[in-house]
Amino acid sequence: IGGLLRYGIPDFKMEKSVIDRRLNVMKAEGIVFKTSTTIGKDITADQLRKEFDSVVICIGSTRGRDLNAP
């Protein structure tokens, strides 16, 4: 978890502990990370909707954009 932040930015510019600290905060808030999961094979979209109040599917990108979500 962390993608480009973790693997694309060297430690001397941003220590990985910064990413780990933020991930721990997000996990403590109740966010569940499901990595290495194929939607439609490992879990269906309907299962995700039933199990969670909100679902964000992040697949990584080299270009950022705003996410229009509350």
Side-chain angles (χ1 to χ4, degrees):
I1 299 171
L4 188 60
L5 287 175
R6 184 172 301 280
Y7 300 109
I9 299 174
D11 281 337
F12 70 88
K13 289 192 175 189
M14 185 178 72
E15 294 180 7
K16 303 313 178 226
S17 62
V18 174
I19 301 167
D20 294 334
R21 184 176 63 231
R22 183 63 184 142
L23 286 172
N24 288 332
V25 168
M26 292 165 57
K27 288 175 183 177
E29 291 172 342
I31 294 173
V32 177
F33 295 93
K34 292 188 176 268
T35 60
S36 301
T37 302
T38 302
I39 306 301
K41 180 180 175 187
D42 300 318
I43 191 168
T44 67
D46 287 336
Q47 286 173 303
L48 288 172
R49 284 190 208 102
K50 288 177 185 173
E51 188 175 344
F52 300 100
D53 296 327
S54 299
V55 176
V56 176
I57 299 173
C58 301
I59 59 172
S61 177
T62 57
R63 237 175 20 176
R65 68 177 178 88
D66 289 335
L67 182 62
N68 186 17

